[in-house]
Amino acid sequence: MHNQSDANQAFPVQRWRVIGNNVRGVTATFSTDGPFVHNIDPNWKRDVQLGLSIASSSGVGRWILTQAVDTTDYANGDSYATVGAMSNGTSTASFDLQVSFVTDTYGSFPSGLYETTVTGTITAN
């Protein structure tokens, strides 16, 4: 539910747990499949902003954020937002992922359901 303001609408933080068992570490990324798209009229879109933070970690490897915040800009050809982190050894981490619906000006887009998908990917370093 939108609060009918010009403020970005943040969804509840999602906690993701990543277990990296590679001695060289792993890279974890979280990416959208595009901006928010109106579920009836796909011509209406809104940008999505992702934010990532490390909630906790354990193990011999250390985690760093490689991209903490990213926002789509569909009007200028940037349809994807990606945030990520990497470790330098075997370790486990819990990440807090914040997903926000970028409003800009409330009332400049039709009401309805808007959808996007965020996918988490883990790769060995």
Side-chain angles (χ1 to χ4, degrees), residues 5-25:
S5 75
D6 290 345
N8 292 348
Q9 303 297 295
F11 291 86
V13 171
Q14 299 175 9
R15 172 90 24 114
W16 291 65
R17 185 166 184 239
V18 174
I19 300 172
N21 61 359
N22 185 321
V23 296
R24 290 188 205 103

Side-chain angles (χ1 to χ4, degrees), residues 59-115:
V60 296
R62 298 206 183 269
W63 287 90
I64 61 164
L65 293 174
T66 55
Q67 180 75 37
V69 178
D70 194 17
T71 305
T72 63
D73 185 3
Y74 72 89
N76 290 305
D78 180 5
S79 294
Y80 307 101
T82 300
V83 292
M86 65 183 292
S87 67
N88 63 359
T90 304
S91 61
T92 299
S94 291
F95 295 97
D96 286 342
L97 180 67
Q98 179 71 63
V99 178
S100 297
F101 179 96
V102 178
T103 298
D104 290 327
T105 304
Y106 181 76
S108 63
F109 50 90
S111 63
L113 297 176
Y114 288 77
E115 298 176 354

